[in-house]
Amino acid sequence: MSLRVLNGFKFSSLKTPVHRLDPRAKFLLVIGIIVPSLLFTNIYLLAGLLIVQVPLFMVGRVTKRWLQSLRAGLFLSALIFVVNFFTGPLVNAVALTLRFLLLMTTFSFFFMTTSPDDLGLAIDKVGFIRWLSRRWLGYPNALSFTFTTAVRLVPTMAVDAQTVVDAQRSRGLELDKGNLLKRVRNYIPILIPLLLIAIRRSLELAEALEARGFPGKEGRTSLFELRFKPVDYLLLGISLAGIILSFWVFLYYRVPTI
Amino acid sequence: MGENGAGKTTLAKQLNGLLKPSLGRVTVDGDDTAKKSVAQLSRKVGIVFQNPDHLLFSETVREEVGFALKNFGFEPGVVLKQVERTLEALDLAHYADTSPFLLSGGERKRVALAAVLAWQPDYLILDEPTIGQDYQQKERLRNFILQLNSQGKAVVMVTHDVEFVAECNPKVVLMSKGQIVAQGQADEVLSDDGLIEKASLVKPQMAKLFSQLSEYGFPRDVVDVHRAKMLLEEKLTEVRVRVAQSS
């Protein structure tokens, strides 16, 4: 189950208008959706924010993968619903489940349509991160590189995880057998090889990077430069307006759940 | 055998039910794999994965080899006996209490093999067993496979190692782009230029030699050294006799 959820966060290399948006503008859009969804529990607003994203998925041609990941996340949303149903009113349970789906959808939209390379470039442009990275790690682009690498390793790790699961099942391991404690223990033969593979890979990656002269000199240039297009400015404007409006409403009005 | 992405591993995973057929039927001893669990099928069909790092997790080699036996519900006494026997057979007995992670690549691969052989499956599937093994280890593996075979076990091997296959001269199934393109005895399949190219393999050295010797009346379908030696000896005696007669 857990692996299919990851599918909804994997970058798909397509050339649609959504993929071509500037990652910075797109990230602000994500914040613009997340801020109101965390500030308010109004069901209409949450449902609206969810529906608004559907055309974006369709333009980005990732609707099918999004639905798959939603289906895989159904168990978790059911859990959230049940827990909140027993601890509060029904509308609240519905709102919180919607919020979970909305957050998942929004991040899935961002990661499915933004290439890790673009993301790295975008993070590299943020002055604060460059400053922080220099203070902590000595190089201005070390932090952005760390982030890009982490994102990029997710699909590789997913493949490894599948192979490990296959290998252990071939040795008679049955993951969904036994009581709760036994089931948790069943994952030990999966997690240990996976962890060791990850550690070994990171050491190899470090060596390969050093062999190629990482981190290089200050003022590194890149082949592709990010540039804002009119549509990016539009997105930026809408997102900023949305964020400001949300805070303003949050401070001066009370929005009911339904 | 076949090129990368030909579907060899996918086919192997069908055999113990890790993958279920989306079309058609796969049966193991008459049992439909779609109706059996992986654990049930694995009891009969043991798959040894290519990379031992994907399965080693225990603190000692002994525990690692015993893991599957415990999963299959063997008695503790039987587990102990089977583990010792397998370690002995694969020359790993002196590592029994060592951590598998301290062993070399080739040894780890042997532990992975032992971890499957321990429950004595009727069918053994080996995914690229010769990668990273030196000559001696390959020799030992070959003997081991032949020994298993003589005990009546079926051994299926996924590999690119033409020379290794040529020496055993088993039945070969060539795959390409998800399809079986040829099957037959190794000496027929691996000496066929068209098929070899289709599956992007290298011809075994003996096959190369004999395709060039064919103008002297030698057959082309020779892949193993023993048959090559036999044919060459025959020819030599023939020539020697002819020289003796003419002088």
Side-chain angles (χ1 to χ4, degrees):
Chain A
M1 182 206 87
S2 50
L3 296 178
R4 256 184 292 142
V5 177
L6 286 182
N7 243 340
F9 295 90
K10 216 157 54 179
F11 170 62
S12 62
S13 180
L14 295 168
K15 280 198 164 57
T16 70
V18 175
H19 283 74
R20 269 197 291 262
L21 287 173
D22 191 287
R24 289 165 290 180
K26 219 187 300 181
F27 190 68
L28 208 68
L29 175 72
V30 168
I31 294 176
I33 294 173
I34 284 171
V35 164
S37 73
L38 290 181
L39 290 181
F40 310 110
T41 48
N42 183 292
I43 288 179
Y44 298 118
L45 177 79
L46 291 171
L49 286 173
L50 196 62
I51 291 165
V52 157
Q53 289 185 61
V54 175
L56 289 176
F57 277 105
M58 273 151 70
V59 174
R61 284 194 276 145
V62 284
T63 324
K64 214 176 128 194
R65 293 230 322 258
W66 167 58
L67 289 175
Q68 276 173 357
S69 78
L70 270 194
R71 204 172 58 191
L74 217 59
F75 173 72
L76 212 54
S77 25
L79 196 72
I80 291 171
F81 181 81
V82 170
V83 169
N84 286 294
F85 180 72
F86 285 113
T87 54
L90 174 68
V91 271
N92 215 28
V94 174
L96 288 176
T97 313
L98 262 178
R99 180 186 281 174
F100 167 72
L101 289 176
L102 181 61
L103 290 180
M104 205 172 113
T105 301
T106 314
F107 278 114
S108 140
F109 162 72
F110 182 72
F111 284 110
M112 276 201 290
T113 60
T114 312
S115 90
D117 297 325
D118 280 357
L119 204 56
L121 283 180
I123 298 171
D124 235 9
K125 291 256 166 156
V126 182
F128 174 68
I129 291 176
R130 291 178 69 86
W131 175 82
L132 204 66
S133 177
R134 200 196 321 263
R135 285 298 297 275
W136 276 358
L137 303 160
Y139 314 111
N141 41 33
L143 262 185
S144 65
F145 183 82
T146 310
F147 180 78
T148 327
T149 315
V151 172
R152 194 183 298 226
L153 281 183
V154 169
T156 326
M157 292 275 288
V159 172
D160 276 329
Q162 189 58 56
T163 314
V164 173
V165 170
D166 282 350
Q168 305 299 34
R169 285 179 72 203
S170 300
R171 296 167 79 193
L173 178 72
E174 288 174 281
L175 287 174
D176 39 10
K177 206 174 143 188
N179 56 27
L180 195 65
L181 191 71
K182 176 88 172 58
R183 280 190 199 201
V184 174
R185 283 172 55 97
N186 280 347
Y187 275 88
I188 294 175
I190 311 275
L191 291 178
I192 293 179
L194 207 53
L195 203 65
L196 286 168
I197 289 171
I199 293 172
R200 198 170 298 141
R201 176 171 297 134
S202 64
L203 290 174
E204 276 169 15
L205 182 67
E207 281 172 358
L209 280 171
E210 274 186 80
R212 290 168 69 181
F214 189 82
K217 280 186 195 160
E218 181 78 71
R220 192 179 68 162
T221 55
S222 64
L223 184 56
F224 303 103
E225 289 287 344
L226 291 176
R227 213 164 276 129
F228 265 60
K229 292 181 288 293
V231 62
D232 294 317
Y233 282 112
L234 184 71
L235 204 62
L236 199 75
I238 295 174
S239 312
L240 275 179
I243 295 170
I244 293 166
L245 187 73
S246 308
F247 275 114
W248 185 70
V249 172
F250 181 72
L251 288 176
Y252 296 104
Y253 297 92
R254 253 191 68 80
V255 181
T257 304
I258 195 156
Chain B
M1 308 184 86
E3 83 263 357
N4 288 331
K8 306 185 294 285
T9 305
T10 308
L11 180 63
K13 283 183 183 173
Q14 294 276 358
L15 299 177
N16 77 342
L18 282 172
L19 295 173
K20 308 282 185 195
S22 52
L23 209 79
R25 246 156 56 96
V26 177
T27 56
V28 175
D29 285 347
D31 293 328
D32 195 331
T33 57
K35 290 181 186 122
K36 294 263 176 178
S37 76
V38 178
Q40 282 170 324
L41 287 163
S42 294
R43 183 68 191 77
K44 260 187 196 166
V45 184
I47 298 191
V48 183
F49 277 68
Q50 183 175 345
N51 188 349
D53 296 337
H54 281 130
L55 57 103
L56 300 181
F57 73 97
S58 305
E59 278 172 52
T60 65
V61 170
R62 196 193 305 276
E63 280 173 46
E64 193 68 64
V65 176
F67 173 70
L69 297 171
K70 280 179 206 146
N71 285 334
F72 288 130
F74 283 75
E75 298 288 322
V78 180
V79 174
L80 214 67
K81 222 173 73 190
Q82 293 275 70
V83 169
E84 294 306 325
R85 195 189 51 79
T86 318
L87 289 179
E88 208 65 62
L90 281 167
D91 199 19
L92 286 166
H94 49 296
Y95 289 130
D97 296 307
T98 325
S99 161
F101 301 110
L102 294 175
L103 303 180
S104 74
E107 287 161 343
R108 281 210 296 268
K109 232 172 143 94
R110 239 154 58 223
V111 175
L113 178 63
V116 173
L117 276 175
W119 77 83
Q120 296 187 300
D122 295 338
Y123 305 96
L124 185 67
I125 321 282
L126 305 170
D127 196 350
E128 302 276 10
T130 57
I131 285 185
Q133 302 276 355
D134 61 30
Y135 175 72
Q136 273 188 347
Q137 285 163 349
K138 276 196 202 180
E139 234 7 64
R140 205 178 289 155
L141 180 70
R142 188 196 344 266
N143 287 332
F144 201 74
I145 291 175
L146 293 174
Q147 191 190 325
L148 283 173
N149 215 346
S150 66
Q151 287 168 11
K153 313 240 173 208
V155 181
V156 179
M157 200 168 121
V158 173
T159 187
H160 281 111
D161 196 334
V162 232
E163 295 298 339
F164 186 85
V165 173
E167 284 304 296
C168 306
N169 195 10
K171 188 182 172 191
V172 171
V173 177
L174 275 193
M175 293 186 69
S176 177
K177 301 187 183 80
Q179 302 280 334
I180 291 177
V181 287
Q183 47 185 324
Q185 223 45 48
D187 49 10
E188 288 163 28
V189 176
L190 295 181
S191 57
D192 188 320
D193 287 313
L195 289 176
I196 285 283
E197 197 180 328
K198 218 171 181 178
S200 96
L201 292 169
V202 194
K203 233 178 176 184
Q205 290 195 0
M206 279 304 138
K208 270 189 210 161
L209 177 65
F210 272 77
S211 75
Q212 294 194 9
L213 286 178
S214 61
E215 51 186 293
Y216 299 101
F218 283 106
R220 282 168 165 270
D221 60 341
V222 178
V223 290
D224 62 315
V225 179
H226 298 291
R227 185 147 169 250
K229 179 172 172 255
M230 227 174 62
L231 286 166
L232 286 170
E233 265 175 355
E234 257 171 42
K235 194 77 174 178
L236 269 178
T237 352
E238 199 186 302
V239 170
R240 217 178 274 152
V241 169
R242 215 183 295 152
V243 171
Q245 280 171 350
S246 64
S247 61

